[in-house]
mmCIF file of all heavy atoms in Angstrom:
data_model
loop_
_atom_site.group_PDB
_atom_site.id
_atom_site.type_symbol
_atom_site.label_atom_id
_atom_site.label_comp_id
_atom_site.label_asym_id
_atom_site.label_seq_id
_atom_site.Cartn_x
_atom_site.Cartn_y
_atom_site.Cartn_z
ATOM 1 N N ALA A 1 -24.828 -10.953 12.238
ATOM 2 C CA ALA A 1 -23.773 -11.332 11.392
ATOM 3 C C ALA A 1 -23.721 -10.496 10.038
ATOM 4 O O ALA A 1 -22.671 -10.351 9.426
ATOM 5 C CB ALA A 1 -23.866 -12.867 10.973
ATOM 6 N N LEU A 2 -24.923 -10.018 9.671
ATOM 7 C CA LEU A 2 -24.952 -9.236 8.435
ATOM 8 C C LEU A 2 -24.147 -7.913 8.584
ATOM 9 O O LEU A 2 -23.241 -7.690 7.705
ATOM 10 C CB LEU A 2 -26.430 -8.965 8.011
ATOM 11 C CG LEU A 2 -27.283 -10.195 7.768
ATOM 12 C CD1 LEU A 2 -28.695 -9.826 7.509
ATOM 13 C CD2 LEU A 2 -26.668 -10.989 6.649
ATOM 14 N N PRO A 3 -24.387 -7.001 9.575
ATOM 15 C CA PRO A 3 -23.562 -5.808 9.608
ATOM 16 C C PRO A 3 -22.045 -6.144 9.963
ATOM 17 O O PRO A 3 -21.243 -5.417 9.502
ATOM 18 C CB PRO A 3 -24.257 -5.032 10.790
ATOM 19 C CG PRO A 3 -25.002 -6.006 11.534
ATOM 20 C CD PRO A 3 -25.518 -7.069 10.534
ATOM 21 N N PHE A 4 -21.845 -7.222 10.648
ATOM 22 C CA PHE A 4 -20.457 -7.616 10.988
ATOM 23 C C PHE A 4 -19.775 -8.031 9.651
ATOM 24 O O PHE A 4 -18.617 -7.634 9.375
ATOM 25 C CB PHE A 4 -20.454 -8.748 11.948
ATOM 26 C CG PHE A 4 -19.048 -9.191 12.305
ATOM 27 C CD1 PHE A 4 -18.197 -8.367 13.148
ATOM 28 C CD2 PHE A 4 -18.551 -10.338 11.769
ATOM 29 C CE1 PHE A 4 -16.942 -8.823 13.470
ATOM 30 C CE2 PHE A 4 -17.218 -10.774 12.065
ATOM 31 C CZ PHE A 4 -16.379 -9.967 12.881
ATOM 32 N N PHE A 5 -20.469 -8.769 8.795
ATOM 33 C CA PHE A 5 -19.858 -9.129 7.510
ATOM 34 C C PHE A 5 -19.601 -7.927 6.698
ATOM 35 O O PHE A 5 -18.593 -7.799 5.914
ATOM 36 C CB PHE A 5 -20.793 -10.149 6.851
ATOM 37 C CG PHE A 5 -20.302 -10.519 5.467
ATOM 38 C CD1 PHE A 5 -19.258 -11.446 5.314
ATOM 39 C CD2 PHE A 5 -20.870 -9.977 4.320
ATOM 40 C CE1 PHE A 5 -18.763 -11.841 4.045
ATOM 41 C CE2 PHE A 5 -20.412 -10.354 3.059
ATOM 42 C CZ PHE A 5 -19.319 -11.283 2.962
ATOM 43 N N LEU A 6 -20.484 -6.906 6.689
ATOM 44 C CA LEU A 6 -20.280 -5.710 5.947
ATOM 45 C C LEU A 6 -18.988 -4.994 6.373
ATOM 46 O O LEU A 6 -18.238 -4.558 5.538
ATOM 47 C CB LEU A 6 -21.510 -4.812 6.167
ATOM 48 C CG LEU A 6 -21.439 -3.416 5.546
ATOM 49 C CD1 LEU A 6 -21.336 -3.507 3.987
ATOM 50 C CD2 LEU A 6 -22.649 -2.562 5.894
ATOM 51 N N THR A 7 -18.823 -4.826 7.713
ATOM 52 C CA THR A 7 -17.619 -4.117 8.170
ATOM 53 C C THR A 7 -16.331 -4.899 7.787
ATOM 54 O O THR A 7 -15.357 -4.313 7.329
ATOM 55 C CB THR A 7 -17.685 -3.885 9.685
ATOM 56 O OG1 THR A 7 -17.867 -5.149 10.393
ATOM 57 C CG2 THR A 7 -18.866 -3.027 10.027
ATOM 58 N N VAL A 8 -16.362 -6.202 7.996
ATOM 59 C CA VAL A 8 -15.194 -6.927 7.724
ATOM 60 C C VAL A 8 -14.823 -6.966 6.200
ATOM 61 O O VAL A 8 -13.684 -6.813 5.769
ATOM 62 C CB VAL A 8 -15.343 -8.430 8.168
ATOM 63 C CG1 VAL A 8 -14.175 -9.322 7.679
ATOM 64 C CG2 VAL A 8 -15.390 -8.437 9.705
ATOM 65 N N SER A 9 -15.877 -7.034 5.366
ATOM 66 C CA SER A 9 -15.703 -6.951 3.884
ATOM 67 C C SER A 9 -15.131 -5.618 3.487
ATOM 68 O O SER A 9 -14.272 -5.557 2.637
ATOM 69 C CB SER A 9 -17.014 -7.296 3.160
ATOM 70 O OG SER A 9 -17.501 -8.506 3.585
ATOM 71 N N CYS A 10 -15.645 -4.570 4.042
ATOM 72 C CA CYS A 10 -15.154 -3.254 3.744
ATOM 73 C C CYS A 10 -13.731 -3.092 4.037
ATOM 74 O O CYS A 10 -12.940 -2.549 3.306
ATOM 75 C CB CYS A 10 -16.033 -2.207 4.497
ATOM 76 S SG CYS A 10 -15.731 -0.500 3.934
ATOM 77 N N LEU A 11 -13.321 -3.615 5.222
ATOM 78 C CA LEU A 11 -11.878 -3.454 5.582
ATOM 79 C C LEU A 11 -11.043 -4.342 4.617
ATOM 80 O O LEU A 11 -9.905 -3.867 4.275
ATOM 81 C CB LEU A 11 -11.774 -3.983 7.037
ATOM 82 C CG LEU A 11 -12.189 -3.032 8.141
ATOM 83 C CD1 LEU A 11 -12.059 -3.665 9.486
ATOM 84 C CD2 LEU A 11 -11.431 -1.735 8.154
ATOM 85 N N ALA A 12 -11.534 -5.494 4.261
ATOM 86 C CA ALA A 12 -10.731 -6.376 3.346
ATOM 87 C C ALA A 12 -10.558 -5.688 1.997
ATOM 88 O O ALA A 12 -9.463 -5.693 1.429
ATOM 89 C CB ALA A 12 -11.439 -7.713 3.207
ATOM 90 N N ILE A 13 -11.611 -5.057 1.467
ATOM 91 C CA ILE A 13 -11.491 -4.425 0.172
ATOM 92 C C ILE A 13 -10.573 -3.159 0.264
ATOM 93 O O ILE A 13 -9.798 -2.927 -0.591
ATOM 94 C CB ILE A 13 -12.891 -3.970 -0.290
ATOM 95 C CG1 ILE A 13 -13.724 -5.181 -0.592
ATOM 96 C CG2 ILE A 13 -12.794 -3.109 -1.555
ATOM 97 C CD1 ILE A 13 -15.188 -4.945 -0.902
ATOM 98 N N ALA A 14 -10.715 -2.408 1.363
ATOM 99 C CA ALA A 14 -9.933 -1.226 1.535
ATOM 100 C C ALA A 14 -8.453 -1.573 1.678
ATOM 101 O O ALA A 14 -7.549 -0.752 1.232
ATOM 102 C CB ALA A 14 -10.372 -0.464 2.792
ATOM 103 N N ARG A 15 -8.113 -2.696 2.095
ATOM 104 C CA ARG A 15 -6.727 -3.118 2.252
ATOM 105 C C ARG A 15 -6.015 -3.133 0.914
ATOM 106 O O ARG A 15 -4.821 -2.822 0.801
ATOM 107 C CB ARG A 15 -6.651 -4.442 2.934
ATOM 108 C CG ARG A 15 -5.199 -4.984 3.124
ATOM 109 C CD ARG A 15 -5.133 -6.223 3.819
ATOM 110 N NE ARG A 15 -3.858 -6.754 4.074
ATOM 111 C CZ ARG A 15 -3.032 -6.420 5.086
ATOM 112 N NH1 ARG A 15 -3.525 -5.576 5.923
ATOM 113 N NH2 ARG A 15 -1.835 -6.861 5.228
ATOM 114 N N PHE A 16 -6.782 -3.439 -0.178
ATOM 115 C CA PHE A 16 -6.157 -3.536 -1.497
ATOM 116 C C PHE A 16 -6.446 -2.343 -2.353
ATOM 117 O O PHE A 16 -5.782 -2.122 -3.372
ATOM 118 C CB PHE A 16 -6.669 -4.834 -2.175
ATOM 119 C CG PHE A 16 -6.332 -6.099 -1.506
ATOM 120 C CD1 PHE A 16 -7.193 -6.716 -0.697
ATOM 121 C CD2 PHE A 16 -5.057 -6.581 -1.613
ATOM 122 C CE1 PHE A 16 -6.890 -7.858 -0.032
ATOM 123 C CE2 PHE A 16 -4.750 -7.769 -0.978
ATOM 124 C CZ PHE A 16 -5.639 -8.468 -0.165
ATOM 125 N N GLU A 17 -7.433 -1.539 -2.009
ATOM 126 C CA GLU A 17 -7.883 -0.450 -2.920
ATOM 127 C C GLU A 17 -7.456 0.934 -2.414
ATOM 128 O O GLU A 17 -7.557 1.868 -3.218
ATOM 129 C CB GLU A 17 -9.460 -0.468 -2.976
ATOM 130 C CG GLU A 17 -9.919 -1.723 -3.698
ATOM 131 C CD GLU A 17 -9.482 -1.939 -5.103
ATOM 132 O OE1 GLU A 17 -9.217 -0.887 -5.835
ATOM 133 O OE2 GLU A 17 -9.334 -3.075 -5.543
ATOM 134 N N VAL A 18 -7.106 1.141 -1.195
ATOM 135 C CA VAL A 18 -6.693 2.506 -0.766
ATOM 136 C C VAL A 18 -5.303 2.411 -0.247
ATOM 137 O O VAL A 18 -4.761 1.428 0.054
ATOM 138 C CB VAL A 18 -7.635 2.959 0.405
ATOM 139 C CG1 VAL A 18 -9.105 3.034 -0.119
ATOM 140 C CG2 VAL A 18 -7.563 2.077 1.620
ATOM 141 N N PRO A 19 -4.607 3.666 -0.137
ATOM 142 C CA PRO A 19 -3.252 3.656 0.283
ATOM 143 C C PRO A 19 -3.065 3.081 1.681
ATOM 144 O O PRO A 19 -3.896 3.368 2.576
ATOM 145 C CB PRO A 19 -2.946 5.150 0.310
ATOM 146 C CG PRO A 19 -3.815 5.778 -0.720
ATOM 147 C CD PRO A 19 -5.103 4.938 -0.591
ATOM 148 N N THR A 20 -2.067 2.256 1.847
ATOM 149 C CA THR A 20 -1.842 1.680 3.153
ATOM 150 C C THR A 20 -0.586 2.202 3.804
ATOM 151 O O THR A 20 -0.169 1.804 4.892
ATOM 152 C CB THR A 20 -1.636 0.141 3.029
ATOM 153 O OG1 THR A 20 -0.609 -0.159 2.099
ATOM 154 C CG2 THR A 20 -2.971 -0.544 2.573
ATOM 155 N N THR A 21 0.073 3.187 3.184
ATOM 156 C CA THR A 21 1.196 3.866 3.734
ATOM 157 C C THR A 21 0.885 5.362 3.860
ATOM 158 O O THR A 21 0.022 5.878 3.165
ATOM 159 C CB THR A 21 2.435 3.650 2.846
ATOM 160 O OG1 THR A 21 2.272 4.234 1.576
ATOM 161 C CG2 THR A 21 2.721 2.184 2.691
ATOM 162 N N ARG A 22 1.672 6.015 4.674
ATOM 163 C CA ARG A 22 1.422 7.406 4.885
ATOM 164 C C ARG A 22 1.786 8.275 3.689
ATOM 165 O O ARG A 22 1.163 9.355 3.483
ATOM 166 C CB ARG A 22 2.243 7.898 6.158
ATOM 167 C CG ARG A 22 1.927 9.309 6.489
ATOM 168 C CD ARG A 22 2.734 9.714 7.753
ATOM 169 N NE ARG A 22 2.476 11.101 8.134
ATOM 170 C CZ ARG A 22 3.131 11.721 9.105
ATOM 171 N NH1 ARG A 22 4.086 11.112 9.731
ATOM 172 N NH2 ARG A 22 2.851 12.952 9.362
ATOM 173 N N TRP A 23 2.716 7.840 2.896
ATOM 174 C CA TRP A 23 3.267 8.763 1.905
ATOM 175 C C TRP A 23 2.926 8.348 0.457
ATOM 176 O O TRP A 23 2.562 9.242 -0.297
ATOM 177 C CB TRP A 23 4.802 8.888 2.057
ATOM 178 C CG TRP A 23 5.229 9.234 3.395
ATOM 179 C CD1 TRP A 23 5.946 8.386 4.285
ATOM 180 C CD2 TRP A 23 5.082 10.473 4.100
ATOM 181 N NE1 TRP A 23 6.192 8.992 5.496
ATOM 182 C CE2 TRP A 23 5.735 10.311 5.377
ATOM 183 C CE3 TRP A 23 4.504 11.672 3.762
ATOM 184 C CZ2 TRP A 23 5.663 11.349 6.325
ATOM 185 C CZ3 TRP A 23 4.512 12.736 4.672
ATOM 186 C CH2 TRP A 23 5.106 12.527 5.969
ATOM 187 N N ALA A 24 3.102 7.122 0.094
ATOM 188 C CA ALA A 24 2.966 6.678 -1.269
ATOM 189 C C ALA A 24 1.510 6.211 -1.580
ATOM 190 O O ALA A 24 0.911 5.457 -0.854
ATOM 191 C CB ALA A 24 3.966 5.653 -1.663
ATOM 192 N N SER A 25 0.942 6.619 -2.756
ATOM 193 C CA SER A 25 -0.284 6.106 -3.198
ATOM 194 C C SER A 25 0.006 4.700 -3.823
ATOM 195 O O SER A 25 1.135 4.295 -3.994
ATOM 196 C CB SER A 25 -0.876 6.997 -4.305
ATOM 197 O OG SER A 25 -0.022 7.005 -5.462
ATOM 198 N N PRO A 26 -1.065 3.984 -4.223
ATOM 199 C CA PRO A 26 -0.831 2.681 -4.826
ATOM 200 C C PRO A 26 0.049 2.805 -6.093
ATOM 201 O O PRO A 26 0.886 1.953 -6.338
ATOM 202 C CB PRO A 26 -2.192 2.212 -5.208
ATOM 203 C CG PRO A 26 -3.092 2.823 -4.130
ATOM 204 C CD PRO A 26 -2.504 4.163 -3.826
ATOM 205 N N ALA A 27 -0.126 3.873 -6.871
ATOM 206 C CA ALA A 27 0.700 4.051 -8.147
ATOM 207 C C ALA A 27 2.144 4.289 -7.642
ATOM 208 O O ALA A 27 3.113 3.810 -8.261
ATOM 209 C CB ALA A 27 0.174 5.191 -8.950
ATOM 210 N N GLY A 28 2.297 5.105 -6.609
ATOM 211 C CA GLY A 28 3.653 5.372 -6.109
ATOM 212 C C GLY A 28 4.342 4.099 -5.602
ATOM 213 O O GLY A 28 5.556 3.896 -5.869
ATOM 214 N N ARG A 29 3.552 3.266 -4.911
ATOM 215 C CA ARG A 29 4.179 1.981 -4.463
ATOM 216 C C ARG A 29 4.592 1.127 -5.624
ATOM 217 O O ARG A 29 5.586 0.376 -5.561
ATOM 218 C CB ARG A 29 3.175 1.235 -3.594
ATOM 219 C CG ARG A 29 2.906 1.994 -2.218
ATOM 220 C CD ARG A 29 2.402 0.992 -1.144
ATOM 221 N NE ARG A 29 1.255 0.239 -1.649
ATOM 222 C CZ ARG A 29 -0.046 0.718 -1.609
ATOM 223 N NH1 ARG A 29 -0.297 1.925 -1.203
ATOM 224 N NH2 ARG A 29 -1.011 -0.081 -2.049
ATOM 225 N N ARG A 30 3.835 1.098 -6.644
ATOM 226 C CA ARG A 30 4.239 0.287 -7.875
ATOM 227 C C ARG A 30 5.526 0.776 -8.494
ATOM 228 O O ARG A 30 6.381 -0.026 -8.847
ATOM 229 C CB ARG A 30 3.029 0.312 -8.882
ATOM 230 C CG ARG A 30 1.882 -0.483 -8.445
ATOM 231 C CD ARG A 30 0.907 -0.700 -9.659
ATOM 232 N NE ARG A 30 0.329 0.571 -10.124
ATOM 233 C CZ ARG A 30 -0.838 0.986 -9.616
ATOM 234 N NH1 ARG A 30 -1.490 0.358 -8.659
ATOM 235 N NH2 ARG A 30 -1.330 2.132 -10.086
ATOM 236 N N LEU A 31 5.701 2.106 -8.589
ATOM 237 C CA LEU A 31 6.978 2.623 -9.088
ATOM 238 C C LEU A 31 8.124 2.356 -8.189
ATOM 239 O O LEU A 31 9.206 2.070 -8.646
ATOM 240 C CB LEU A 31 6.819 4.096 -9.348
ATOM 241 C CG LEU A 31 5.880 4.529 -10.544
ATOM 242 C CD1 LEU A 31 5.929 6.088 -10.697
ATOM 243 C CD2 LEU A 31 6.307 3.830 -11.799
ATOM 244 N N LEU A 32 7.815 2.356 -6.887
ATOM 245 C CA LEU A 32 8.866 2.026 -5.941
ATOM 246 C C LEU A 32 9.336 0.590 -6.083
ATOM 247 O O LEU A 32 10.557 0.247 -6.007
ATOM 248 C CB LEU A 32 8.437 2.254 -4.479
ATOM 249 C CG LEU A 32 8.474 3.684 -3.979
ATOM 250 C CD1 LEU A 32 7.845 3.785 -2.604
ATOM 251 C CD2 LEU A 32 9.885 4.202 -3.941
ATOM 252 N N GLY A 33 8.375 -0.302 -6.367
ATOM 253 C CA GLY A 33 8.690 -1.733 -6.514
ATOM 254 C C GLY A 33 9.523 -1.952 -7.768
ATOM 255 O O GLY A 33 10.239 -2.928 -7.761
ATOM 256 N N ALA A 34 9.382 -1.123 -8.751
ATOM 257 C CA ALA A 34 10.145 -1.225 -10.005
ATOM 258 C C ALA A 34 11.462 -0.571 -9.978
ATOM 259 O O ALA A 34 12.174 -0.552 -10.956
ATOM 260 C CB ALA A 34 9.315 -0.799 -11.212
ATOM 261 N N LEU A 35 11.755 0.100 -8.866
ATOM 262 C CA LEU A 35 12.998 0.914 -8.829
ATOM 263 C C LEU A 35 14.173 -0.006 -8.584
ATOM 264 O O LEU A 35 14.241 -0.638 -7.610
ATOM 265 C CB LEU A 35 12.895 1.994 -7.673
ATOM 266 C CG LEU A 35 14.032 2.969 -7.551
ATOM 267 C CD1 LEU A 35 13.968 3.913 -8.731
ATOM 268 C CD2 LEU A 35 13.945 3.768 -6.239
ATOM 269 N N PRO A 36 15.196 0.037 -9.454
ATOM 270 C CA PRO A 36 16.324 -0.807 -9.230
ATOM 271 C C PRO A 36 17.217 -0.190 -8.118
ATOM 272 O O PRO A 36 17.378 1.039 -8.046
ATOM 273 C CB PRO A 36 17.070 -0.834 -10.624
ATOM 274 C CG PRO A 36 16.672 0.541 -11.208
ATOM 275 C CD PRO A 36 15.281 0.806 -10.728
ATOM 276 N N SER A 37 17.842 -1.048 -7.347
ATOM 277 C CA SER A 37 18.778 -0.627 -6.318
ATOM 278 C C SER A 37 20.127 -0.444 -6.879
ATOM 279 O O SER A 37 20.994 -1.347 -6.907
ATOM 280 C CB SER A 37 18.750 -1.632 -5.161
ATOM 281 O OG SER A 37 19.610 -1.213 -4.087
ATOM 282 N N ARG A 38 20.378 0.698 -7.478
ATOM 283 C CA ARG A 38 21.646 1.009 -8.230
ATOM 284 C C ARG A 38 22.808 1.109 -7.289
ATOM 285 O O ARG A 38 23.882 0.774 -7.672
ATOM 286 C CB ARG A 38 21.466 2.182 -9.126
ATOM 287 C CG ARG A 38 20.351 1.988 -10.210
ATOM 288 C CD ARG A 38 20.330 3.175 -11.122
ATOM 289 N NE ARG A 38 19.925 4.313 -10.360
ATOM 290 C CZ ARG A 38 18.637 4.791 -10.315
ATOM 291 N NH1 ARG A 38 17.695 4.036 -10.848
ATOM 292 N NH2 ARG A 38 18.267 5.895 -9.626
ATOM 293 N N ASP A 39 22.677 1.834 -6.177
ATOM 294 C CA ASP A 39 23.688 2.093 -5.321
ATOM 295 C C ASP A 39 23.223 2.234 -3.884
ATOM 296 O O ASP A 39 22.043 2.019 -3.623
ATOM 297 C CB ASP A 39 24.428 3.417 -5.774
ATOM 298 C CG ASP A 39 23.474 4.587 -5.917
ATOM 299 O OD1 ASP A 39 22.499 4.616 -5.222
ATOM 300 O OD2 ASP A 39 23.660 5.375 -6.870
ATOM 301 N N ASP A 40 24.158 2.627 -2.950
ATOM 302 C CA ASP A 40 23.761 2.691 -1.634
ATOM 303 C C ASP A 40 22.829 3.871 -1.334
ATOM 304 O O ASP A 40 22.054 3.798 -0.399
ATOM 305 C CB ASP A 40 24.984 2.717 -0.674
ATOM 306 C CG ASP A 40 25.965 3.898 -1.066
ATOM 307 O OD1 ASP A 40 25.729 4.493 -2.178
ATOM 308 O OD2 ASP A 40 26.894 4.201 -0.315
ATOM 309 N N LEU A 41 22.925 4.953 -2.036
ATOM 310 C CA LEU A 41 21.981 6.065 -1.827
ATOM 311 C C LEU A 41 20.592 5.655 -2.146
ATOM 312 O O LEU A 41 19.615 6.023 -1.487
ATOM 313 C CB LEU A 41 22.468 7.217 -2.698
ATOM 314 C CG LEU A 41 23.491 8.205 -2.129
ATOM 315 C CD1 LEU A 41 23.820 9.341 -3.073
ATOM 316 C CD2 LEU A 41 23.067 8.756 -0.744
ATOM 317 N N THR A 42 20.398 4.918 -3.230
ATOM 318 C CA THR A 42 19.064 4.420 -3.574
ATOM 319 C C THR A 42 18.606 3.483 -2.508
ATOM 320 O O THR A 42 17.397 3.517 -2.187
ATOM 321 C CB THR A 42 19.149 3.706 -4.951
ATOM 322 O OG1 THR A 42 19.658 4.540 -5.943
ATOM 323 C CG2 THR A 42 17.750 3.260 -5.313
ATOM 324 N N SER A 43 19.443 2.641 -1.971
ATOM 325 C CA SER A 43 19.014 1.759 -0.922
ATOM 326 C C SER A 43 18.570 2.499 0.299
ATOM 327 O O SER A 43 17.604 2.152 0.965
ATOM 328 C CB SER A 43 20.166 0.821 -0.575
ATOM 329 O OG SER A 43 20.544 -0.007 -1.651
ATOM 330 N N VAL A 44 19.306 3.583 0.629
ATOM 331 C CA VAL A 44 18.874 4.418 1.778
ATOM 332 C C VAL A 44 17.594 5.098 1.472
ATOM 333 O O VAL A 44 16.675 5.207 2.394
ATOM 334 C CB VAL A 44 19.990 5.428 2.156
ATOM 335 C CG1 VAL A 44 19.538 6.460 3.167
ATOM 336 C CG2 VAL A 44 21.293 4.701 2.581
ATOM 337 N N ALA A 45 17.402 5.578 0.250
ATOM 338 C CA ALA A 45 16.138 6.195 -0.100
ATOM 339 C C ALA A 45 14.999 5.322 0.110
ATOM 340 O O ALA A 45 13.915 5.724 0.547
ATOM 341 C CB ALA A 45 16.213 6.728 -1.550
ATOM 342 N N VAL A 46 15.130 4.020 -0.282
ATOM 343 C CA VAL A 46 13.988 3.131 -0.209
ATOM 344 C C VAL A 46 13.851 2.478 1.197
ATOM 345 O O VAL A 46 12.771 2.266 1.718
ATOM 346 C CB VAL A 46 14.111 2.061 -1.286
ATOM 347 C CG1 VAL A 46 13.064 0.984 -1.172
ATOM 348 C CG2 VAL A 46 14.148 2.697 -2.674
#
């Protein structure tokens, strides 16, 4: 159970600490979340 707990814990931490998308880093995702949907081009971009 000890090595199993290590692997599961590592995956859980990595889920929040490393990029989970192919393109945006965590900082990039935060800026995307703050981007207002001004028009249809912005909606398509996001």
